[in-house]
Amino acid sequence: MKNIQLLILLLLSCLAIGQNKQFLYEYKFISDSTNKVDVKTEIMILNIQKDRSEYYSSVRYASDSAQFADYQKGINSMPSGEALVSEWVTKYPNSNQLFHTTFLIWDKYKVKQDVELNWKLTNEFSKILNYDVQKATTEFGGRKWTAWFTKEIPIQDGPYKFKGLPGLILKIEDSTKSHTWELKGIRSNQKEFVYPDLKNYRIVELNYNQFVKKFKNYRQNPTADLVGQIPDQHDSNGKFRTSTEIIKELNQIAMEKLAKDNNLIEIDLLK
């Protein structure tokens, strides 16, 4: 009888920590491999629900939530914060399928992808936030990754697209230390999570192979989709400018920005 009661308590504790929890990660990354001293930081949220997990930027979520609240009041407001990360990943338990939502110029792309990670567990142990953690390694996106996970939080998930270990990933980084996530806090979320939809972007749904093709074309010519979308016009100084001139200028600006964004998480996308 005592064993049954103990089993019930353990199951209840697993359910309590497994549902409606938000795990806050500090994400440090180097976007330009030629400027490694410029390390950017963003707090990312892994939101665990009963049927899925959602990974997104805390800054972008706060901004979108504020804009959504204003929209419901009939107010058109500007973003309240500048998010460094626009990636949004939805994963499902007991499934390799996920949805990765990202932006290319002004369009939002929702990409269906299957990700199966081949983890190798080691006999190395440590502690993070007083949790006992174990080291594991894998390869993904053209990089070698080292993760530290804990069985004390029985959730087979982690930041970004990482999952599949016998416990929550508390820290993970690639071998060049260009991308590092480390858990900094845990909080409860009593409400069913629904990300605020501002409906201010065109959403394009693609499978992964279609997205890779689109992404590579975008890196070569980021303003290709703008052809025919921008009319000839006068600028603020009254100077007449053709559509071709405007798009050419926008393309140059975008190419300069992309040149400094050369150290992606999934670096093989640039091959």
Side-chain angles (χ1 to χ4, degrees), residues 58-124:
S58 63
V59 177
R60 189 172 189 95
Y61 176 72
S63 177
D64 288 350
S65 296
Q67 277 191 278
F68 185 72
D70 286 344
Y71 175 76
Q72 289 183 312
K73 299 174 184 176
I75 302 172
N76 291 323
S77 60
M78 296 297 291
S80 57
E82 183 178 354
L84 300 174
V85 182
S86 296
E87 312 300 313
W88 176 12
V89 179
T90 304
K91 290 171 286 187
Y92 304 92
N94 304 315
S95 173
N96 292 328
Q97 189 176 98
L98 58 81
F99 286 94
H100 176 204
T101 304
T102 188
F103 291 85
L104 300 181
I105 298 291
W106 291 284
D107 287 332
K108 181 188 290 187
Y109 288 82
K110 186 175 182 180
V111 185
K112 182 189 293 186
Q113 182 180 2
D114 286 327
V115 175
E116 185 173 4
L117 299 173
N118 181 24
W119 290 103
K120 295 180 181 179
L121 274 61
T122 74
N123 289 321
E124 295 183 54

Side-chain angles (χ1 to χ4, degrees), residues 148-186:
W148 295 89
F149 70 95
T150 180
K151 294 180 180 179
E152 295 177 42
I153 303 179
I155 300 172
Q156 296 184 14
D157 212 329
Y160 193 57
K161 299 178 183 179
F162 300 105
K163 62 176 295 185
L165 284 166
L168 184 71
I169 297 172
L170 301 195
K171 182 178 180 179
I172 184 166
E173 66 181 1
D174 75 296
S175 59
T176 68
K177 299 188 184 300
S178 294
H179 299 273
T180 302
W181 292 263
E182 185 167 357
L183 186 70
K184 294 299 180 180
I186 305 172

Side-chain angles (χ1 to χ4, degrees), residues 116-264:
E116 185 173 4
L117 299 173
N118 181 24
W119 290 103
K120 295 180 181 179
L121 274 61
T122 74
N123 289 321
E124 295 183 54
F125 300 88
S126 186
K127 274 189 175 290
I128 296 177
L129 293 181
N130 291 323
Y131 289 102
D132 292 321
V133 293
Q134 183 177 354
K135 180 181 175 180
T137 61
T138 192
E139 294 186 13
F140 170 69
R143 294 182 183 274
K144 295 180 180 180
W145 299 90
T146 297
W148 295 89
F149 70 95
T150 180
K151 294 180 180 179
E152 295 177 42
I153 303 179
I155 300 172
Q156 296 184 14
D157 212 329
Y160 193 57
K161 299 178 183 179
F162 300 105
K163 62 176 295 185
L165 284 166
L168 184 71
I169 297 172
L170 301 195
K171 182 178 180 179
I172 184 166
E173 66 181 1
D174 75 296
S175 59
T176 68
K177 299 188 184 300
S178 294
H179 299 273
T180 302
W181 292 263
E182 185 167 357
L183 186 70
K184 294 299 180 180
I186 305 172
R187 64 189 182 194
S188 296
N189 182 24
Q190 300 301 324
K191 297 180 181 179
E192 181 68 20
F193 175 77
V194 178
Y195 197 96
D197 186 2
L198 301 175
K199 301 185 186 300
N200 55 351
Y201 292 96
R202 183 172 74 102
I203 299 177
V204 181
E205 296 189 9
L206 301 173
N207 62 40
Y208 184 69
N209 289 334
Q210 290 171 328
F211 175 73
V212 170
K213 182 178 180 180
K214 180 68 181 180
F215 182 84
K216 290 181 182 296
N217 290 337
Y218 160 75
R219 296 287 297 202
Q220 293 175 358
N221 186 4
T223 58
D225 291 344
L226 295 182
V227 175
Q229 301 297 317
I230 298 178
D232 299 342
Q233 57 190 271
H234 290 85
D235 62 19
S236 58
N237 296 319
K239 181 181 178 181
F240 180 77
R241 304 180 69 206
T242 66
S243 173
T244 302
E245 290 173 332
I246 296 170
I247 292 174
K248 183 178 180 180
E249 181 179 329
L250 290 174
N251 195 73
Q252 182 178 347
I253 294 171
M255 289 296 289
E256 290 174 356
K257 184 176 180 180
L258 290 174
K260 297 179 180 179
D261 185 27
N262 55 48
N263 203 20
L264 308 180

Side-chain angles (χ1 to χ4, degrees), residues 15 18-21 47-53 93 192:
L15 288 171
Q19 295 179 7
N20 298 332
K21 290 287 184 180
N47 196 324
I48 302 294
Q49 299 291 301
K50 289 182 289 186
D51 60 342
R52 69 193 189 283
S53 69
E192 181 68 20

